[in-house]
Amino acid sequence: MGSIKRYLQFVKPYKWQIIGTVLIGLLKFAIPLLLPLLSKYIVDDIIGNGDLSKAVKSERLLWAMAIMIFIFVAVRPPIEYYRQYFAQWTGTKILYDIRNDLFTHIQKLSFKYYSNTRVGEVISRMITDVEQTKNFVITGLMNLWLDIATIIIVIVIMFTMDVKLTIVSIIMLPFYAFSIKHFFGKLRTYTRIRSQALADVQSHLHERVSGMSVIKSFAIEDREQVLFAKQNKNFLDKALKHTSWNAKSFAVVNTITDIAPCS
């Protein structure tokens, strides 16, 4: 929790950009939600309306289709563009601030720290680990709230259409919430382990490239190849375990999502 609070200090200056991005995202996800309402209107108020002539029905159908084509072709693309742009812009700006602050911090560290810490690991923390925090902003702070708001809107619309079917449909929500907490909670642990393994590879590689002239002078290329292969294999094992759990997480969550409409 302490690390999250420290990270939120960098997020705070961009809170309005994040709120704006979430609101734009709501518009983007609200557009597909119009389809059930349009279908209801077409079936109940046009096709099923016996008081309308065929000519009037055809005219109203054309108008309905024209409006939806306009929304999906002319309105939704720019909304999606600005949602993606502002999300990436905000994440990139936060990373910029973190790296500046981190560089200021590492310049204040003691000689003892640098004598006990490999250069490659410091560089990995500056580049790779900071880059991965971008997902926290885009996925955690933006998409999470966006998904919650979308679910609420969908449930409200469903209740206005059919209360009983809505109650049946949301039975799977507790299973969905549990699977998210369980699988993606453990995924964070695997992500940290994978990041450390990658930092070890980068540190090893930095040291060997810096000392390549010494390696070649003593003709120990074969020995260094074995050592690097060991480091690389360690990262491969951690990365594959992360990949396996990531795939398992999405498989379970998507299965529950697919089952929900059939329940």
Side-chain angles (χ1 to χ4, degrees):
M1 288 298 294
S3 59
I4 294 179
K5 288 182 179 179
R6 289 195 297 272
Y7 190 82
L8 289 177
Q9 294 176 356
F10 294 97
V11 174
K12 190 175 180 180
Y14 302 97
K15 62 180 180 180
W16 293 113
Q17 286 87 342
I18 293 175
I19 292 173
T21 303
V22 171
L23 293 176
I24 294 174
L26 283 177
L27 289 176
K28 185 255 183 181
F29 284 102
I31 290 175
L33 300 180
L34 296 175
L35 289 176
L37 298 178
L38 175 66
S39 300
K40 184 176 183 299
Y41 169 73
I42 291 175
V43 173
D44 296 342
D45 299 334
I46 299 179
I47 298 176
N49 192 342
D51 297 331
L52 299 178
S53 64
K54 289 184 178 180
V56 175
K57 288 183 178 181
S58 298
E59 182 181 354
R60 291 190 179 182
L61 282 173
L62 288 174
W63 271 109
M65 295 302 298
I67 291 172
M68 292 307 297
I69 289 174
F70 174 78
I71 291 175
F72 277 92
V73 174
V75 177
R76 186 175 179 180
I79 289 177
E80 174 63 19
Y81 168 80
Y82 284 110
R83 185 184 80 90
Q84 292 290 342
Y85 176 80
F86 286 124
Q88 296 294 331
W89 182 91
T90 304
T92 302
K93 286 286 289 183
I94 291 173
L95 262 59
Y96 170 82
D97 294 341
I98 291 176
R99 287 199 179 100
N100 276 341
D101 192 76
L102 189 57
F103 186 75
T104 301
H105 174 71
I106 65 174
Q107 291 191 98
K108 298 177 181 178
L109 295 174
S110 64
F111 287 106
K112 182 179 179 181
Y113 173 83
Y114 286 106
S115 64
N116 296 327
T117 307
R118 293 174 295 182
V119 176
E121 186 168 350
V122 176
I123 294 175
S124 178
R125 296 286 180 255
M126 284 282 296
I127 304 300
T128 307
D129 289 4
V130 172
E131 186 68 29
Q132 288 180 350
T133 64
K134 190 176 181 180
N135 292 330
F136 174 76
V137 178
I138 297 175
T139 303
L141 295 181
M142 296 184 184
N143 290 350
L144 177 61
W145 291 108
L146 183 59
D147 290 343
I148 292 174
T150 302
I151 290 173
I152 293 174
I153 293 172
V154 169
I155 292 176
V156 171
I157 293 175
M158 290 171 65
F159 267 115
T160 61
M161 299 178 70
D162 194 306
V163 176
K164 292 182 179 180
L165 285 178
T166 301
I167 294 175
V168 172
S169 298
I170 63 177
I171 288 176
M172 297 299 294
L173 279 180
F175 298 98
Y176 185 81
F178 172 78
S179 64
I180 290 287
K181 182 179 180 180
H182 173 70
F183 285 100
F184 288 95
K186 195 168 183 179
L187 186 62
R188 286 196 296 269
T189 301
Y190 283 123
T191 300
R192 287 195 295 269
I193 294 174
R194 178 185 178 277
S195 297
Q196 181 58 51
L198 180 59
D200 293 339
V201 172
Q202 290 177 321
S203 177
H204 183 91
L205 184 61
H206 180 273
E207 293 172 358
R208 268 51 184 186
V209 171
S210 300
M212 190 57 69
S213 58
V214 176
I215 293 174
K216 295 182 74 65
S217 298
F218 286 92
I220 54 174
E221 290 91 343
D222 291 341
R223 173 179 174 274
E224 290 301 326
Q225 182 67 48
V226 172
L227 292 176
F228 179 76
K230 183 178 179 181
Q231 290 282 353
N232 205 23
K233 180 63 166 56
N234 179 60
F235 170 68
L236 175 63
D237 293 339
K238 302 298 188 295
L240 290 179
K241 185 173 291 187
H242 175 273
T243 300
S244 175
W245 191 262
N246 186 58
K248 187 184 297 183
S249 302
F250 279 98
V252 173
V253 171
N254 289 338
T255 298
I256 294 176
T257 303
D258 293 338
I259 292 174
C262 303
S263 60

